[in-house]
Amino acid sequence: MLGRNTRWVAGALTLACLLLIGPGAPSGDLPAAEPLPADAATEIVPNRVMTWNICNPCRGAGQNVGRAADIATYAPQVIGLQEACIRDVERIRDYLERLYGLVYHVTYGSVLRNWSRCGGLPWHAGGYGQAILSAAPATDAVIVEYPDGGSEDRGYMAATTEVDGRPVRVFNTHLAERHQEAVRERQVPVLAKEIARHDRAIVLGDFNAVPDSPELRPMWPLATDADPQCSPSAGGVCEPTTDWQSRFDYVFLRGINPRAHRVRPSEHSDHHMLYADLAPL
C-alpha cells in the first residue's frame, strides 16, 4: 500500500511540474535554425514595424522556432504580437537572439491568465494577450482592459520606444471576436481616445473588422493605414491578412508617413504578417 501511495504522489508531482512548466516554457535546448530566404534581412531593419496574431495554431512542436524564423526574415524594428502567451514570446525572443542574432526588448500586455492555453497550473496560469518587441528599450508601458471584452478578456497595451531615433508611442490591441460587432463598437472609442492624445503614434493590432466596418469609424479620422489605398472607401482594395481572405490586421499611423508595406502569409498562424516601412520621422 505504501509503495502504491508513493507512486501516486510521485505521479501527481510530475504532472504538476509538467503543468507548471507548460509546453511553451523556455529550456536549455536550442533547436536547429530554420533556413531563411536568400533575400532575408541580415540585421534589424530601421523604421520597419510589424503586426502579427500568432495563434491558430496556438501551440505545437516547432511553432515558436518557425515563428522566430518568420520574424527574422523581415526583422522589423518594432513588432506587435497578439494572442501571445508569455512563455511563447519568451521562447521566440530567445530564438531570435540565439539563432539569428536579433536582439529585442519585450514589453508584455497580458490581459488574461489561461492555463489550458498558455500552460502553468490552474491556479497560476500563464499570461495571455499582447506583446511588443522593440529594438530599443520601451518605457511608460500601460495595459488597459476594455470594459467589455466579449467572449474573453481583451485590451490594449501601449509603450514608448524609439523609431528613427525619435520617441514614438506604440499601441497594440486585439479587439473582440469577429462576430461580436457590438462589443467592438464599445472598445474602439476607448482606444481612440488615448491615441488622440499623441501627435505621433503607431497602432498595431488585430481589429477583427474589415475597413468599412462601423466599429472602425473612430479610427480613420485619427490615423491612416500603412497602405494609403486601404480605407473605408477603398472598395475592397485592401490586401487580406487572414487565411479566410479578410483584412483584420492593421498598422495605423498617426503623424507618420508610410514608405512601403507588405503582407506575408505564414504556416505558423492563420493570420498573415503585415509590416510597414516608414518614411523618416
Side-chain angles (χ1 to χ4, degrees):
M1 179 67 71
L2 180 60
R4 190 161 54 203
N5 287 342
T6 301
R7 288 194 298 272
W8 184 91
V9 171
L13 289 173
T14 300
L15 177 60
C17 289
L18 289 173
L19 286 170
L20 180 62
I21 294 171
S27 72
D29 297 330
L30 192 65
E34 291 197 0
L36 303 184
D39 60 349
T42 57
E43 58 187 14
I44 291 176
V45 180
N47 293 25
R48 176 172 290 176
V49 299
M50 173 191 283
T51 185
W52 191 20
N53 182 321
I54 63 173
C55 201
N56 292 323
C58 297
R59 296 201 302 223
Q63 290 297 333
N64 288 326
V65 69
R67 290 166 180 154
D70 286 343
I71 291 172
T73 298
Y74 307 106
Q77 188 173 13
V78 177
I79 306 160
L81 300 178
Q82 303 88 42
E83 292 204 64
C85 294
I86 286 179
R87 289 181 177 90
D88 288 330
V89 177
E90 286 175 340
R91 180 158 279 182
I92 289 168
R93 178 180 63 171
D94 187 45
Y95 292 161
L96 284 167
E97 180 173 358
R98 297 173 66 189
L99 297 177
Y100 302 106
L102 303 175
V103 179
Y104 287 96
H105 303 267
V106 179
T107 307
Y108 293 102
S110 299
V111 294
L112 180 66
R113 296 282 170 180
N114 191 309
W115 70 270
S116 64
R117 195 193 298 256
C118 294
L121 293 170
W123 57 89
H124 187 63
Y128 171 82
Q130 289 76 247
I132 292 174
L133 280 65
S134 55
T139 61
D140 302 320
V142 298
I143 304 170
V144 177
E145 287 193 40
Y146 294 121
D148 182 1
S151 56
E152 68 178 19
D153 295 348
R154 295 287 167 93
Y156 74 83
M157 63 179 298
T160 299
T161 188
E162 286 189 2
V163 176
D164 196 26
R166 300 181 65 184
V168 178
R169 194 66 171 167
V170 178
F171 294 82
N172 185 14
T173 191
H174 186 197
L175 299 189
E177 292 183 353
R178 50 179 161 165
H179 298 302
Q180 299 176 354
E181 294 88 349
V183 177
R184 293 196 299 275
E185 283 195 65
R186 296 190 290 272
Q187 294 174 341
V188 173
V190 175
L191 175 63
K193 182 179 179 180
E194 184 61 25
I195 294 169
R197 296 180 58 246
H198 300 273
D199 295 330
R200 191 168 58 247
I202 298 169
V203 186
L204 311 170
D206 175 4
F207 285 73
N208 272 319
V210 296
D212 60 354
S213 299
E215 58 265 38
L216 287 191
R217 286 174 186 163
M219 288 297 303
W220 296 108
L222 293 174
T224 58
D225 191 84
D227 178 358
Q229 298 186 28
C230 186
S231 69
S233 59
V237 172
C238 303
E239 190 173 356
T241 60
T242 65
D243 286 353
W244 55 93
Q245 297 301 303
S246 293
R247 176 60 177 265
F248 279 1
D249 305 272
Y250 297 86
V251 174
F252 283 113
L253 303 174
R254 177 172 171 83
I256 301 171
N257 294 319
R259 188 163 51 85
H261 71 281
R262 296 289 186 275
V263 176
R264 291 292 182 262
S266 168
E267 64 182 62
H268 304 291
S269 175
D270 59 357
H271 283 253
H272 307 338
M273 297 173 286
L274 169 62
Y275 74 82
D277 292 325
L278 310 180
L281 274 60

